[in-house]
PDB file of all heavy atoms in Angstrom:
ATOM      1  N   SER A 459       0.809  -1.215   0.000  1.00 94.00           N
ATOM      2  CA  SER A 459       0.000   0.000   0.000  1.00 94.00           C
ATOM      3  C   SER A 459       0.846   1.271   0.000  1.00 94.00           C
ATOM      4  O   SER A 459       0.410   2.307  -0.510  1.00 94.00           O
ATOM      5  CB  SER A 459      -0.951   0.013   1.206  1.00 94.00           C
ATOM      6  OG  SER A 459      -0.234   0.118   2.421  1.00 94.00           O
ATOM      7  N   GLU A 460       2.064   1.190   0.561  1.00 93.00           N
ATOM      8  CA  GLU A 460       2.899   2.381   0.698  1.00 93.00           C
ATOM      9  C   GLU A 460       3.996   2.476  -0.357  1.00 93.00           C
ATOM     10  O   GLU A 460       4.730   3.468  -0.411  1.00 93.00           O
ATOM     11  CB  GLU A 460       3.547   2.411   2.088  1.00 93.00           C
ATOM     12  CG  GLU A 460       2.552   2.510   3.236  1.00 93.00           C
ATOM     13  CD  GLU A 460       3.213   2.455   4.607  1.00 93.00           C
ATOM     14  OE1 GLU A 460       4.453   2.629   4.666  1.00 93.00           O
ATOM     15  OE2 GLU A 460       2.499   2.225   5.602  1.00 93.00           O
ATOM     16  N   SER A 461       4.102   1.464  -1.221  1.00 91.00           N
ATOM     17  CA  SER A 461       5.195   1.451  -2.184  1.00 91.00           C
ATOM     18  C   SER A 461       4.949   2.429  -3.319  1.00 91.00           C
ATOM     19  O   SER A 461       3.814   2.744  -3.674  1.00 91.00           O
ATOM     20  CB  SER A 461       5.385   0.046  -2.749  1.00 91.00           C
ATOM     21  OG  SER A 461       4.231  -0.369  -3.459  1.00 91.00           O
ATOM     22  N   THR A 462       6.049   2.895  -3.893  1.00 79.00           N
ATOM     23  CA  THR A 462       5.998   3.733  -5.084  1.00 79.00           C
ATOM     24  C   THR A 462       6.148   2.834  -6.307  1.00 79.00           C
ATOM     25  O   THR A 462       6.179   1.609  -6.203  1.00 79.00           O
ATOM     26  CB  THR A 462       7.139   4.756  -5.057  1.00 79.00           C
ATOM     27  OG1 THR A 462       8.387   4.052  -5.080  1.00 79.00           O
ATOM     28  CG2 THR A 462       7.067   5.602  -3.794  1.00 79.00           C
ATOM     29  N   SER A 463       6.271   3.441  -7.464  1.00 78.00           N
ATOM     30  CA  SER A 463       6.413   2.637  -8.680  1.00 78.00           C
ATOM     31  C   SER A 463       7.712   1.841  -8.696  1.00 78.00           C
ATOM     32  O   SER A 463       7.813   0.813  -9.349  1.00 78.00           O
ATOM     33  CB  SER A 463       6.350   3.542  -9.918  1.00 78.00           C
ATOM     34  OG  SER A 463       7.373   4.521  -9.862  1.00 78.00           O
ATOM     35  N   SER A 464       8.722   2.332  -7.990  1.00 93.00           N
ATOM     36  CA  SER A 464       9.991   1.600  -7.899  1.00 93.00           C
ATOM     37  C   SER A 464      10.416   1.534  -6.441  1.00 93.00           C
ATOM     38  O   SER A 464      10.794   2.546  -5.845  1.00 93.00           O
ATOM     39  CB  SER A 464      11.068   2.288  -8.738  1.00 93.00           C
ATOM     40  OG  SER A 464      12.282   1.573  -8.679  1.00 93.00           O
ATOM     41  N   SER A 465      10.340   0.339  -5.858  1.00 96.00           N
ATOM     42  CA  SER A 465      10.678   0.132  -4.449  1.00 96.00           C
ATOM     43  C   SER A 465      11.457  -1.171  -4.309  1.00 96.00           C
ATOM     44  O   SER A 465      11.626  -1.913  -5.271  1.00 96.00           O
ATOM     45  CB  SER A 465       9.409   0.067  -3.588  1.00 96.00           C
ATOM     46  OG  SER A 465       8.637   1.237  -3.697  1.00 96.00           O
ATOM     47  N   ALA A 466      11.924  -1.454  -3.093  1.00 97.00           N
ATOM     48  CA  ALA A 466      12.586  -2.719  -2.792  1.00 97.00           C
ATOM     49  C   ALA A 466      12.307  -3.086  -1.343  1.00 97.00           C
ATOM     50  O   ALA A 466      12.059  -2.211  -0.507  1.00 97.00           O
ATOM     51  CB  ALA A 466      14.096  -2.626  -3.033  1.00 97.00           C
ATOM     52  N   LEU A 467      12.332  -4.390  -1.059  1.00 98.00           N
ATOM     53  CA  LEU A 467      12.109  -4.898   0.299  1.00 98.00           C
ATOM     54  C   LEU A 467      13.331  -5.660   0.774  1.00 98.00           C
ATOM     55  O   LEU A 467      13.867  -6.503   0.043  1.00 98.00           O
ATOM     56  CB  LEU A 467      10.902  -5.836   0.327  1.00 98.00           C
ATOM     57  CG  LEU A 467      10.700  -6.625   1.625  1.00 98.00           C
ATOM     58  CD1 LEU A 467      10.204  -5.698   2.743  1.00 98.00           C
ATOM     59  CD2 LEU A 467       9.728  -7.781   1.437  1.00 98.00           C
ATOM     60  N   ILE A 468      13.759  -5.363   1.987  1.00 98.00           N
ATOM     61  CA  ILE A 468      14.809  -6.138   2.663  1.00 98.00           C
ATOM     62  C   ILE A 468      14.179  -6.806   3.880  1.00 98.00           C
ATOM     63  O   ILE A 468      13.470  -6.159   4.657  1.00 98.00           O
ATOM     64  CB  ILE A 468      15.961  -5.234   3.130  1.00 98.00           C
ATOM     65  CG1 ILE A 468      16.640  -4.569   1.935  1.00 98.00           C
ATOM     66  CG2 ILE A 468      16.983  -6.028   3.948  1.00 98.00           C
ATOM     67  CD1 ILE A 468      17.550  -3.424   2.327  1.00 98.00           C
ATOM     68  N   THR A 469      14.429  -8.093   4.034  1.00 98.00           N
ATOM     69  CA  THR A 469      13.992  -8.818   5.231  1.00 98.00           C
ATOM     70  C   THR A 469      15.216  -9.257   6.008  1.00 98.00           C
ATOM     71  O   THR A 469      16.150  -9.834   5.444  1.00 98.00           O
ATOM     72  CB  THR A 469      13.155 -10.056   4.866  1.00 98.00           C
ATOM     73  OG1 THR A 469      12.070  -9.667   4.030  1.00 98.00           O
ATOM     74  CG2 THR A 469      12.601 -10.721   6.119  1.00 98.00           C
ATOM     75  N   THR A 470      15.231  -8.985   7.311  1.00 97.00           N
ATOM     76  CA  THR A 470      16.333  -9.405   8.162  1.00 97.00           C
ATOM     77  C   THR A 470      15.779  -9.791   9.533  1.00 97.00           C
ATOM     78  O   THR A 470      14.565  -9.809   9.733  1.00 97.00           O
ATOM     79  CB  THR A 470      17.397  -8.295   8.262  1.00 97.00           C
ATOM     80  OG1 THR A 470      18.589  -8.815   8.874  1.00 97.00           O
ATOM     81  CG2 THR A 470      16.879  -7.095   9.050  1.00 97.00           C
ATOM     82  N   ALA A 471      16.653 -10.136  10.462  1.00 97.00           N
ATOM     83  CA  ALA A 471      16.202 -10.572  11.789  1.00 97.00           C
ATOM     84  C   ALA A 471      17.231 -10.219  12.844  1.00 97.00           C
ATOM     85  O   ALA A 471      18.439 -10.175  12.566  1.00 97.00           O
ATOM     86  CB  ALA A 471      15.947 -12.085  11.796  1.00 97.00           C
ATOM     87  N   GLU A 472      16.748  -9.968  14.040  1.00 95.00           N
ATOM     88  CA  GLU A 472      17.632  -9.727  15.181  1.00 95.00           C
ATOM     89  C   GLU A 472      18.032 -11.061  15.806  1.00 95.00           C
ATOM     90  O   GLU A 472      17.321 -12.058  15.701  1.00 95.00           O
ATOM     91  CB  GLU A 472      16.913  -8.868  16.216  1.00 95.00           C
ATOM     92  CG  GLU A 472      16.540  -7.480  15.723  1.00 95.00           C
ATOM     93  CD  GLU A 472      15.719  -6.687  16.725  1.00 95.00           C
ATOM     94  OE1 GLU A 472      15.195  -7.299  17.684  1.00 95.00           O
ATOM     95  OE2 GLU A 472      15.594  -5.464  16.538  1.00 95.00           O
ATOM     96  N   GLY A 473      19.185 -11.070  16.470  1.00 92.00           N
ATOM     97  CA  GLY A 473      19.590 -12.233  17.239  1.00 92.00           C
ATOM     98  C   GLY A 473      20.319 -13.298  16.454  1.00 92.00           C
ATOM     99  O   GLY A 473      20.735 -13.101  15.312  1.00 92.00           O
ATOM    100  N   LYS A 474      20.451 -14.460  17.065  1.00 92.00           N
ATOM    101  CA  LYS A 474      21.247 -15.566  16.520  1.00 92.00           C
ATOM    102  C   LYS A 474      20.594 -16.228  15.322  1.00 92.00           C
ATOM    103  O   LYS A 474      21.268 -16.819  14.484  1.00 92.00           O
ATOM    104  CB  LYS A 474      21.474 -16.599  17.638  1.00 92.00           C
ATOM    105  CG  LYS A 474      22.281 -17.807  17.244  1.00 92.00           C
ATOM    106  CD  LYS A 474      22.447 -18.755  18.428  1.00 92.00           C
ATOM    107  CE  LYS A 474      23.208 -20.016  18.032  1.00 92.00           C
ATOM    108  NZ  LYS A 474      23.348 -20.955  19.174  1.00 92.00           N
ATOM    109  N   TYR A 475      19.262 -16.150  15.245  1.00 95.00           N
ATOM    110  CA  TYR A 475      18.523 -16.865  14.204  1.00 95.00           C
ATOM    111  C   TYR A 475      17.834 -15.891  13.250  1.00 95.00           C
ATOM    112  O   TYR A 475      17.275 -14.883  13.683  1.00 95.00           O
ATOM    113  CB  TYR A 475      17.449 -17.769  14.824  1.00 95.00           C
ATOM    114  CG  TYR A 475      17.995 -18.930  15.608  1.00 95.00           C
ATOM    115  CD1 TYR A 475      18.259 -18.805  16.968  1.00 95.00           C
ATOM    116  CD2 TYR A 475      18.245 -20.151  14.998  1.00 95.00           C
ATOM    117  CE1 TYR A 475      18.759 -19.868  17.692  1.00 95.00           C
ATOM    118  CE2 TYR A 475      18.739 -21.225  15.722  1.00 95.00           C
ATOM    119  CZ  TYR A 475      19.004 -21.073  17.065  1.00 95.00           C
ATOM    120  OH  TYR A 475      19.505 -22.123  17.788  1.00 95.00           O
ATOM    121  N   PHE A 476      17.855 -16.238  11.967  1.00 96.00           N
ATOM    122  CA  PHE A 476      16.956 -15.587  11.007  1.00 96.00           C
ATOM    123  C   PHE A 476      15.566 -16.176  11.231  1.00 96.00           C
ATOM    124  O   PHE A 476      14.617 -15.462  11.492  1.00 96.00           O
ATOM    125  CB  PHE A 476      17.440 -15.820   9.581  1.00 96.00           C
ATOM    126  CG  PHE A 476      16.629 -15.092   8.546  1.00 96.00           C
ATOM    127  CD1 PHE A 476      16.979 -13.800   8.164  1.00 96.00           C
ATOM    128  CD2 PHE A 476      15.521 -15.677   7.956  1.00 96.00           C
ATOM    129  CE1 PHE A 476      16.224 -13.111   7.213  1.00 96.00           C
ATOM    130  CE2 PHE A 476      14.767 -15.005   7.017  1.00 96.00           C
ATOM    131  CZ  PHE A 476      15.121 -13.713   6.645  1.00 96.00           C
ATOM    132  N   SER A 477      15.448 -17.494  11.128  1.00 96.00           N
ATOM    133  CA  SER A 477      14.237 -18.216  11.529  1.00 96.00           C
ATOM    134  C   SER A 477      14.582 -19.682  11.648  1.00 96.00           C
ATOM    135  O   SER A 477      15.196 -20.254  10.741  1.00 96.00           O
ATOM    136  CB  SER A 477      13.102 -18.027  10.521  1.00 96.00           C
ATOM    137  OG  SER A 477      12.022 -18.894  10.845  1.00 96.00           O
ATOM    138  N   ASN A 478      14.159 -20.291  12.741  1.00 96.00           N
ATOM    139  CA  ASN A 478      14.456 -21.699  12.985  1.00 96.00           C
ATOM    140  C   ASN A 478      13.325 -22.613  12.522  1.00 96.00           C
ATOM    141  O   ASN A 478      13.194 -23.740  12.976  1.00 96.00           O
ATOM    142  CB  ASN A 478      14.735 -21.923  14.477  1.00 96.00           C
ATOM    143  CG  ASN A 478      15.632 -23.117  14.717  1.00 96.00           C
ATOM    144  OD1 ASN A 478      16.306 -23.610  13.808  1.00 96.00           O
ATOM    145  ND2 ASN A 478      15.658 -23.606  15.950  1.00 96.00           N
ATOM    146  N   GLY A 479      12.476 -22.104  11.598  1.00 92.00           N
ATOM    147  CA  GLY A 479      11.454 -22.947  11.003  1.00 92.00           C
ATOM    148  C   GLY A 479      10.116 -22.884  11.714  1.00 92.00           C
ATOM    149  O   GLY A 479       9.837 -21.984  12.505  1.00 92.00           O
ATOM    150  N   TYR A 480       9.281 -23.850  11.398  1.00 94.00           N
ATOM    151  CA  TYR A 480       7.957 -23.938  12.011  1.00 94.00           C
ATOM    152  C   TYR A 480       8.048 -24.031  13.537  1.00 94.00           C
ATOM    153  O   TYR A 480       9.013 -24.567  14.093  1.00 94.00           O
ATOM    154  CB  TYR A 480       7.237 -25.191  11.529  1.00 94.00           C
ATOM    155  CG  TYR A 480       6.574 -25.108  10.178  1.00 94.00           C
ATOM    156  CD1 TYR A 480       6.562 -26.219   9.332  1.00 94.00           C
ATOM    157  CD2 TYR A 480       5.921 -23.963   9.751  1.00 94.00           C
ATOM    158  CE1 TYR A 480       5.924 -26.182   8.093  1.00 94.00           C
ATOM    159  CE2 TYR A 480       5.287 -23.914   8.522  1.00 94.00           C
ATOM    160  CZ  TYR A 480       5.289 -25.024   7.703  1.00 94.00           C
ATOM    161  OH  TYR A 480       4.657 -24.984   6.488  1.00 94.00           O
ATOM    162  N   ASP A 481       6.996 -23.560  14.193  1.00 93.00           N
ATOM    163  CA  ASP A 481       6.869 -23.736  15.636  1.00 93.00           C
ATOM    164  C   ASP A 481       6.280 -25.127  15.887  1.00 93.00           C
ATOM    165  O   ASP A 481       5.080 -25.298  16.084  1.00 93.00           O
ATOM    166  CB  ASP A 481       5.962 -22.649  16.221  1.00 93.00           C
ATOM    167  CG  ASP A 481       5.920 -22.675  17.742  1.00 93.00           C
ATOM    168  OD1 ASP A 481       6.338 -23.696  18.333  1.00 93.00           O
ATOM    169  OD2 ASP A 481       5.462 -21.685  18.339  1.00 93.00           O
ATOM    170  N   LEU A 482       7.154 -26.144  15.874  1.00 93.00           N
ATOM    171  CA  LEU A 482       6.692 -27.531  15.956  1.00 93.00           C
ATOM    172  C   LEU A 482       6.100 -27.860  17.323  1.00 93.00           C
ATOM    173  O   LEU A 482       5.163 -28.654  17.414  1.00 93.00           O
ATOM    174  CB  LEU A 482       7.847 -28.479  15.637  1.00 93.00           C
ATOM    175  CG  LEU A 482       8.364 -28.419  14.187  1.00 93.00           C
ATOM    176  CD1 LEU A 482       9.552 -29.344  14.012  1.00 93.00           C
ATOM    177  CD2 LEU A 482       7.252 -28.779  13.206  1.00 93.00           C
ATOM    178  N   LYS A 483       6.641 -27.261  18.378  1.00 92.00           N
ATOM    179  CA  LYS A 483       6.094 -27.526  19.720  1.00 92.00           C
ATOM    180  C   LYS A 483       4.622 -27.157  19.770  1.00 92.00           C
ATOM    181  O   LYS A 483       3.802 -27.872  20.351  1.00 92.00           O
ATOM    182  CB  LYS A 483       6.883 -26.740  20.769  1.00 92.00           C
ATOM    183  CG  LYS A 483       6.446 -27.012  22.199  1.00 92.00           C
ATOM    184  CD  LYS A 483       7.308 -26.259  23.197  1.00 92.00           C
ATOM    185  CE  LYS A 483       6.875 -26.532  24.627  1.00 92.00           C
ATOM    186  NZ  LYS A 483       7.712 -25.784  25.613  1.00 92.00           N
ATOM    187  N   TRP A 484       4.263 -26.043  19.150  1.00 94.00           N
ATOM    188  CA  TRP A 484       2.863 -25.615  19.097  1.00 94.00           C
ATOM    189  C   TRP A 484       2.073 -26.477  18.117  1.00 94.00           C
ATOM    190  O   TRP A 484       0.949 -26.894  18.400  1.00 94.00           O
ATOM    191  CB  TRP A 484       2.803 -24.143  18.678  1.00 94.00           C
ATOM    192  CG  TRP A 484       1.410 -23.611  18.531  1.00 94.00           C
ATOM    193  CD1 TRP A 484       0.622 -23.082  19.515  1.00 94.00           C
ATOM    194  CD2 TRP A 484       0.630 -23.559  17.324  1.00 94.00           C
ATOM    195  NE1 TRP A 484      -0.599 -22.703  19.000  1.00 94.00           N
ATOM    196  CE2 TRP A 484      -0.625 -22.986  17.652  1.00 94.00           C
ATOM    197  CE3 TRP A 484       0.871 -23.937  16.005  1.00 94.00           C
ATOM    198  CZ2 TRP A 484      -1.628 -22.785  16.706  1.00 94.00           C
ATOM    199  CZ3 TRP A 484      -0.124 -23.745  15.060  1.00 94.00           C
ATOM    200  CH2 TRP A 484      -1.354 -23.175  15.410  1.00 94.00           C
ATOM    201  N   ALA A 485       2.655 -26.771  16.959  1.00 92.00           N
ATOM    202  CA  ALA A 485       1.896 -27.398  15.870  1.00 92.00           C
ATOM    203  C   ALA A 485       1.611 -28.871  16.091  1.00 92.00           C
ATOM    204  O   ALA A 485       0.566 -29.371  15.651  1.00 92.00           O
ATOM    205  CB  ALA A 485       2.649 -27.226  14.552  1.00 92.00           C
ATOM    206  N   LEU A 486       2.510 -29.582  16.749  1.00 92.00           N
ATOM    207  CA  LEU A 486       2.364 -31.033  16.834  1.00 92.00           C
ATOM    208  C   LEU A 486       1.296 -31.479  17.831  1.00 92.00           C
ATOM    209  O   LEU A 486       1.061 -32.669  18.000  1.00 92.00           O
ATOM    210  CB  LEU A 486       3.712 -31.679  17.181  1.00 92.00           C
ATOM    211  CG  LEU A 486       4.777 -31.578  16.072  1.00 92.00           C
ATOM    212  CD1 LEU A 486       6.085 -32.211  16.524  1.00 92.00           C
ATOM    213  CD2 LEU A 486       4.288 -32.229  14.781  1.00 92.00           C
ATOM    214  N   VAL A 487       0.614 -30.531  18.443  1.00 93.00           N
ATOM    215  CA  VAL A 487      -0.502 -30.869  19.338  1.00 93.00           C
ATOM    216  C   VAL A 487      -1.619 -31.555  18.570  1.00 93.00           C
ATOM    217  O   VAL A 487      -2.214 -32.523  19.047  1.00 93.00           O
ATOM    218  CB  VAL A 487      -1.021 -29.603  20.054  1.00 93.00           C
ATOM    219  CG1 VAL A 487      -2.317 -29.891  20.804  1.00 93.00           C
ATOM    220  CG2 VAL A 487       0.047 -29.070  21.003  1.00 93.00           C
ATOM    221  N   ASP A 488      -1.927 -31.056  17.362  1.00 93.00           N
ATOM    222  CA  ASP A 488      -2.941 -31.716  16.530  1.00 93.00           C
ATOM    223  C   ASP A 488      -2.762 -31.317  15.074  1.00 93.00           C
ATOM    224  O   ASP A 488      -2.093 -30.327  14.751  1.00 93.00           O
ATOM    225  CB  ASP A 488      -4.368 -31.414  17.012  1.00 93.00           C
ATOM    226  CG  ASP A 488      -4.723 -29.939  16.928  1.00 93.00           C
ATOM    227  OD1 ASP A 488      -4.615 -29.356  15.835  1.00 93.00           O
ATOM    228  OD2 ASP A 488      -5.117 -29.368  17.961  1.00 93.00           O
ATOM    229  N   ILE A 489      -3.363 -32.085  14.185  1.00 95.00           N
ATOM    230  CA  ILE A 489      -3.186 -31.904  12.749  1.00 95.00           C
ATOM    231  C   ILE A 489      -3.786 -30.585  12.275  1.00 95.00           C
ATOM    232  O   ILE A 489      -3.277 -29.973  11.310  1.00 95.00           O
ATOM    233  CB  ILE A 489      -3.797 -33.096  11.976  1.00 95.00           C
ATOM    234  CG1 ILE A 489      -3.344 -33.069  10.497  1.00 95.00           C
ATOM    235  CG2 ILE A 489      -5.303 -33.106  12.107  1.00 95.00           C
ATOM    236  CD1 ILE A 489      -1.878 -33.279  10.286  1.00 95.00           C
ATOM    237  N   ALA A 490      -4.832 -30.105  12.918  1.00 94.00           N
ATOM    238  CA  ALA A 490      -5.442 -28.838  12.502  1.00 94.00           C
ATOM    239  C   ALA A 490      -4.456 -27.685  12.640  1.00 94.00           C
ATOM    240  O   ALA A 490      -4.429 -26.778  11.793  1.00 94.00           O
ATOM    241  CB  ALA A 490      -6.703 -28.566  13.323  1.00 94.00           C
ATOM    242  N   ARG A 491      -3.642 -27.713  13.688  1.00 95.00           N
ATOM    243  CA  ARG A 491      -2.633 -26.666  13.853  1.00 95.00           C
ATOM    244  C   ARG A 491      -1.578 -26.751  12.756  1.00 95.00           C
ATOM    245  O   ARG A 491      -1.123 -25.730  12.231  1.00 95.00           O
ATOM    246  CB  ARG A 491      -1.964 -26.788  15.228  1.00 95.00           C
ATOM    247  CG  ARG A 491      -2.853 -26.382  16.390  1.00 95.00           C
ATOM    248  CD  ARG A 491      -2.074 -26.340  17.696  1.00 95.00           C
ATOM    249  NE  ARG A 491      -2.875 -25.855  18.801  1.00 95.00           N
ATOM    250  CZ  ARG A 491      -2.405 -25.561  19.998  1.00 95.00           C
ATOM    251  NH1 ARG A 491      -1.104 -25.729  20.249  1.00 95.00           N
ATOM    252  NH2 ARG A 491      -3.195 -25.104  20.953  1.00 95.00           N
ATOM    253  N   GLN A 492      -1.187 -27.968  12.403  1.00 95.00           N
ATOM    254  CA  GLN A 492      -0.195 -28.141  11.341  1.00 95.00           C
ATOM    255  C   GLN A 492      -0.735 -27.622  10.009  1.00 95.00           C
ATOM    256  O   GLN A 492      -0.025 -26.958   9.249  1.00 95.00           O
ATOM    257  CB  GLN A 492       0.182 -29.615  11.228  1.00 95.00           C
ATOM    258  CG  GLN A 492       0.865 -30.174  12.465  1.00 95.00           C
ATOM    259  CD  GLN A 492       0.967 -31.682  12.436  1.00 95.00           C
ATOM    260  OE1 GLN A 492       1.369 -32.268  11.433  1.00 95.00           O
ATOM    261  NE2 GLN A 492       0.596 -32.323  13.538  1.00 95.00           N
ATOM    262  N   GLN A 493      -1.989 -27.911   9.731  1.00 94.00           N
ATOM    263  CA  GLN A 493      -2.598 -27.433   8.485  1.00 94.00           C
ATOM    264  C   GLN A 493      -2.691 -25.918   8.472  1.00 94.00           C
ATOM    265  O   GLN A 493      -2.419 -25.280   7.444  1.00 94.00           O
ATOM    266  CB  GLN A 493      -3.980 -28.064   8.311  1.00 94.00           C
ATOM    267  CG  GLN A 493      -3.928 -29.556   8.043  1.00 94.00           C
ATOM    268  CD  GLN A 493      -5.302 -30.208   8.016  1.00 94.00           C
ATOM    269  OE1 GLN A 493      -6.285 -29.622   8.483  1.00 94.00           O
ATOM    270  NE2 GLN A 493      -5.382 -31.406   7.465  1.00 94.00           N
ATOM    271  N   LEU A 494      -3.065 -25.325   9.592  1.00 95.00           N
ATOM    272  CA  LEU A 494      -3.168 -23.875   9.675  1.00 95.00           C
ATOM    273  C   LEU A 494      -1.810 -23.221   9.423  1.00 95.00           C
ATOM    274  O   LEU A 494      -1.706 -22.263   8.644  1.00 95.00           O
ATOM    275  CB  LEU A 494      -3.702 -23.466  11.049  1.00 95.00           C
ATOM    276  CG  LEU A 494      -3.753 -21.959  11.330  1.00 95.00           C
ATOM    277  CD1 LEU A 494      -4.768 -21.281  10.413  1.00 95.00           C
ATOM    278  CD2 LEU A 494      -4.090 -21.695  12.800  1.00 95.00           C
ATOM    279  N   MET A 495      -0.788 -23.727  10.070  1.00 95.00           N
ATOM    280  CA  MET A 495       0.545 -23.150   9.928  1.00 95.00           C
ATOM    281  C   MET A 495       1.051 -23.281   8.490  1.00 95.00           C
ATOM    282  O   MET A 495       1.622 -22.342   7.925  1.00 95.00           O
ATOM    283  CB  MET A 495       1.507 -23.837  10.903  1.00 95.00           C
ATOM    284  CG  MET A 495       2.814 -23.112  11.122  1.00 95.00           C
ATOM    285  SD  MET A 495       3.622 -23.666  12.653  1.00 95.00           S
ATOM    286  CE  MET A 495       3.761 -25.418  12.350  1.00 95.00           C
ATOM    287  N   SER A 496       0.811 -24.452   7.878  1.00 95.00           N
ATOM    288  CA  SER A 496       1.221 -24.669   6.498  1.00 95.00           C
ATOM    289  C   SER A 496       0.499 -23.703   5.557  1.00 95.00           C
ATOM    290  O   SER A 496       1.115 -23.099   4.662  1.00 95.00           O
ATOM    291  CB  SER A 496       0.941 -26.110   6.081  1.00 95.00           C
ATOM    292  OG  SER A 496       1.131 -26.290   4.687  1.00 95.00           O
ATOM    293  N   ARG A 497      -0.805 -23.556   5.743  1.00 96.00           N
ATOM    294  CA  ARG A 497      -1.559 -22.653   4.861  1.00 96.00           C
ATOM    295  C   ARG A 497      -1.073 -21.218   4.979  1.00 96.00           C
ATOM    296  O   ARG A 497      -0.930 -20.511   3.975  1.00 96.00           O
ATOM    297  CB  ARG A 497      -3.049 -22.711   5.177  1.00 96.00           C
ATOM    298  CG  ARG A 497      -3.723 -23.963   4.668  1.00 96.00           C
ATOM    299  CD  ARG A 497      -5.220 -23.821   4.769  1.00 96.00           C
ATOM    300  NE  ARG A 497      -5.882 -25.041   4.317  1.00 96.00           N
ATOM    301  CZ  ARG A 497      -7.188 -25.189   4.245  1.00 96.00           C
ATOM    302  NH1 ARG A 497      -7.975 -24.189   4.612  1.00 96.00           N
ATOM    303  NH2 ARG A 497      -7.720 -26.306   3.823  1.00 96.00           N
ATOM    304  N   LYS A 498      -0.827 -20.783   6.201  1.00 96.00           N
ATOM    305  CA  LYS A 498      -0.376 -19.409   6.388  1.00 96.00           C
ATOM    306  C   LYS A 498       0.996 -19.195   5.752  1.00 96.00           C
ATOM    307  O   LYS A 498       1.254 -18.147   5.141  1.00 96.00           O
ATOM    308  CB  LYS A 498      -0.357 -19.054   7.872  1.00 96.00           C
ATOM    309  CG  LYS A 498      -1.744 -18.826   8.458  1.00 96.00           C
ATOM    310  CD  LYS A 498      -1.688 -18.413   9.909  1.00 96.00           C
ATOM    311  CE  LYS A 498      -3.086 -18.141  10.461  1.00 96.00           C
ATOM    312  NZ  LYS A 498      -3.672 -16.908   9.894  1.00 96.00           N
ATOM    313  N   LEU A 499       1.892 -20.175   5.878  1.00 97.00           N
ATOM    314  CA  LEU A 499       3.207 -20.026   5.252  1.00 97.00           C
ATOM    315  C   LEU A 499       3.086 -20.013   3.734  1.00 97.00           C
ATOM    316  O   LEU A 499       3.728 -19.213   3.053  1.00 97.00           O
ATOM    317  CB  LEU A 499       4.151 -21.138   5.695  1.00 97.00           C
ATOM    318  CG  LEU A 499       5.560 -21.053   5.069  1.00 97.00           C
ATOM    319  CD1 LEU A 499       6.252 -19.739   5.458  1.00 97.00           C
ATOM    320  CD2 LEU A 499       6.410 -22.244   5.481  1.00 97.00           C
ATOM    321  N   ARG A 500       2.236 -20.884   3.186  1.00 96.00           N
ATOM    322  CA  ARG A 500       2.082 -20.910   1.727  1.00 96.00           C
ATOM    323  C   ARG A 500       1.504 -19.595   1.209  1.00 96.00           C
ATOM    324  O   ARG A 500       1.893 -19.108   0.142  1.00 96.00           O
ATOM    325  CB  ARG A 500       1.213 -22.104   1.323  1.00 96.00           C
ATOM    326  CG  ARG A 500       1.966 -23.429   1.384  1.00 96.00           C
ATOM    327  CD  ARG A 500       1.097 -24.595   0.970  1.00 96.00           C
ATOM    328  NE  ARG A 500       0.269 -25.073   2.060  1.00 96.00           N
ATOM    329  CZ  ARG A 500      -1.010 -25.411   1.957  1.00 96.00           C
ATOM    330  NH1 ARG A 500      -1.633 -25.295   0.786  1.00 96.00           N
ATOM    331  NH2 ARG A 500      -1.677 -25.875   2.994  1.00 96.00           N
TER     332      ARG A 500
END
C-alpha cells in the first residue's frame, strides 16, 4: 500500500537466528494446527 512505482524490500532478523522454522512444539498438538501453519506459510 505504501510502495511507489519503484521500491525494494529487505527482510532481516535480530539475534542468533533468522528463523528456525515452524513452531513444531505448538503445531504437533494436533493436525489442525499443522494445516493452519502450512496454509499461512504458503
Side-chain angles (χ1 to χ4, degrees):
S459 67
E460 297 177 15
S461 63
T462 63
S463 58
S464 181
S465 301
L467 170 72
I468 297 166
T469 306
T470 192
E472 297 175 345
K474 180 180 177 181
Y475 292 90
F476 185 90
S477 172
N478 206 17
Y480 279 144
D481 187 344
L482 293 177
K483 183 177 180 180
W484 177 86
L486 292 178
V487 171
D488 63 56
I489 192 65
R491 288 188 176 189
Q492 296 168 47
Q493 292 174 344
L494 175 66
M495 195 161 57
S496 171
R497 285 191 182 183
K498 285 183 178 290
L499 180 61
R500 284 181 277 137

